[in-house]
Amino acid sequence: MQLYKTKIQGTGKYHPDKVLTNDELSKMVDTSDEWITQRTGIKERRISDLEKEEYPSGMAERAARQAIENAGWTVDDVECILFATTIPDMMLPNTASQLQARLGITNQCACLDINAACTGWLYGFQMANSLIQTGVYKKILLVGTEMASGFNNWQDRSTCVLFGDGSGVTALEATDADGDSFVIDSIMGSDSSKRMALAMPNGAAMSPITHEILDNREQYITMDGQVVFKSAVKTMASHCATLLERNNMTLDDIDWFIPHQANLRIIETVGKLLKFPSERVITNVQKYANTSSATIPTAMHEAIADGRIKRGQTIMLAAFGAGLTSGAAILQF
Ligand code: COA
């Protein structure tokens, strides 16, 4: 039963100040600005400084304060924090609880971490929408934050050029006003047959860190880039096509497309498969690289802040990530 609709009431983002350009990276590993730009579109990325508390909860606090202010809330209005992140602050407590403490929320709101890698924010969006529609919560803080520099192997050129750090936070609020924003539809999934194509197999329960793992530098992310590329393109395009078809919509009904910002070539290929006009695709991967669960909320925040996305417009979102998880959603802003 649907009691309420979900409105994106406020957004915020944070990226660390420290910029790492492709030219600087090419002094660290055998790569070049030309190779990275051609294969990914990425020009630079941001890197966290732990001295500045730019770990997940620290970045998320800055983005969350902005989202809460934009939404016109106080911190104690927050009834639930859904925190999508791949690498938490600590194994325990969860990072949502860390954020509750940092924000000074005293109402003992619900705190849950979501790990669906780069699809985490979108998974959280579907969960938050269900919780709001059914009247469980009226105000949810949905966080996508990643400190990818913590899992990057800075000696592996095939992965370290791809990722960056950042945080995007969305303040979601229940509404029952006619003509107000709402989520039109969403779809989530995962293809676990390809789960080891993007993995960090060591450092948790199955394979705790040992001296041998550290000596062999096996504590970092591993990836089969081509498997991930092909799967990303196929699943994002097919999820979007499914949503359009089952809601009797065409591309003309969509004002903006915000895909997960992993790689400009993936974004362009999905756009071509869908025949979606490139001028209506929002990107920021060039500036920040792949910030995993933070890419969609930060790109959305930027496009709202600079006036591209306006109230009443229709937005299509799509993401994929380790799992291999994937999803898409269409909403009226
Ligand atoms: N700089 C220079 N050369 C590099 C390099 C780098 N940073 N990384 C890899 N190479 C080399 C490889 O060693 C290989 O050399 P070889 O032909 O001598 O063996 C060559 O470039 C081609 O490598 P390949 O892996 O086939 O390149 P690719 O065209 O598949 O592009 C990716 C690699 C990673 C850019 C691409 O596969 C991709 O974008 N995959 C998706 C990754 C992703 O988005 N992951 C996150 C998901 S959320």
Side-chain angles (χ1 to χ4, degrees), residues 100-116:
Q100 187 201 58
R102 292 187 72 100
L103 288 171
I105 295 174
T106 57
N107 65 9
Q108 301 198 356
C109 69
C111 287
L112 175 70
D113 281 13
I114 299 167
N115 184 351

Side-chain angles (χ1 to χ4, degrees), residues 30-32 35-36 39-40 118 157-158 161-163 198 223 225-226 228-229 260 262-263 265-266 290 320-322:
D30 182 15
T31 189
S32 63
W35 193 97
I36 302 170
R39 304 283 173 130
T40 72
C118 301
R157 67 178 183 172
S158 68
V161 302
L162 302 175
F163 298 99
L198 186 49
M223 184 181 73
Q226 290 185 6
V228 176
F229 191 104
H260 169 46
N263 174 327
R265 273 200 307 153
I266 294 178
N290 179 351
F320 69 94

Side-chain angles (χ1 to χ4, degrees), residues 286-327:
Q286 302 89 335
K287 294 185 287 182
Y288 304 122
N290 179 351
T291 56
S292 192
S293 62
T295 70
I296 291 180
T298 55
M300 185 189 288
H301 171 81
E302 288 182 335
I304 293 168
D306 67 21
R308 275 174 292 168
I309 294 181
K310 297 179 181 57
R311 284 286 174 208
Q313 289 188 326
T314 303
I315 306 169
M316 184 163 72
L317 313 171
F320 69 94
L324 295 177
T325 56
S326 59

